């Protein structure tokens, strides 16, 4: 089911981008996440195709992201949530 959903989303992406576009703040967040991923890969001396990228959508306070990081120490994990309150609740 996940692969089907991902394939459908990929097919719909060009239409979405043509009609809605990408908000500047989302483009900036993507650039920051992309740069962090590339820097991490360089830091551990691995190619990007050797480091899985896991996106934890609607991560809330980050507990699920933390759990994913412990389950997948080989991966680069990114947690995203639309609520600033939730994202900063457990900030160190």
């Amino acid at each position: 089911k996940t692969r089907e959903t991902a394939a459908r989303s990929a097919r719909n992406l060009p239409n979405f981008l043509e009609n809605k576009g990408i908000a500047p703040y989302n483009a900036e967040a993507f650039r920051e996440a992309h740069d962090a991923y590339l820097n991490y890969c360089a830091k551990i001396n691995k190619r990007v195709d050797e480091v899985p990228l896991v996106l934890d959508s609607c991560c809330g306070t980050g507990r699920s992201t933390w759990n994913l990081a412990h389950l997948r120490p080989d991966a680069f994990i990114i947690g995203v949530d639309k609520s600033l309150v939730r994202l900063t609740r457990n900030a160190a």
Side-chain angles (χ1 to χ4, degrees), residues 32-53:
E32 288 180 17
H34 184 255
D35 290 348
Y37 178 56
L38 294 179
N39 290 336
Y40 176 75
C41 291
K43 180 180 176 180
I44 63 170
N45 201 27
K46 299 255 184 173
R47 297 186 322 266
V48 293
D49 62 335
E50 297 176 309
V51 181
L53 175 63

Side-chain angles (χ1 to χ4, degrees), residues 6-81:
R8 186 174 56 253
S9 294
R11 285 192 306 273
N12 293 332
L13 182 60
N15 186 45
F16 173 82
L17 293 175
E18 183 178 319
N19 292 314
K20 301 242 181 192
I22 298 175
Y25 58 88
N26 283 334
E28 179 61 25
F30 176 81
R31 278 191 293 277
E32 288 180 17
H34 184 255
D35 290 348
Y37 178 56
L38 294 179
N39 290 336
Y40 176 75
C41 291
K43 180 180 176 180
I44 63 170
N45 201 27
K46 299 255 184 173
R47 297 186 322 266
V48 293
D49 62 335
E50 297 176 309
V51 181
L53 175 63
V54 177
L55 177 64
D56 183 13
S57 175
C58 301
C59 70
T61 61
R63 182 178 301 270
S64 58
T65 308
W66 187 87
N67 288 334
L68 283 169
H70 285 286
L71 290 171
R72 294 295 310 270
D74 62 318
F76 187 81
I77 314 291
I78 298 175
V80 296
D81 196 284

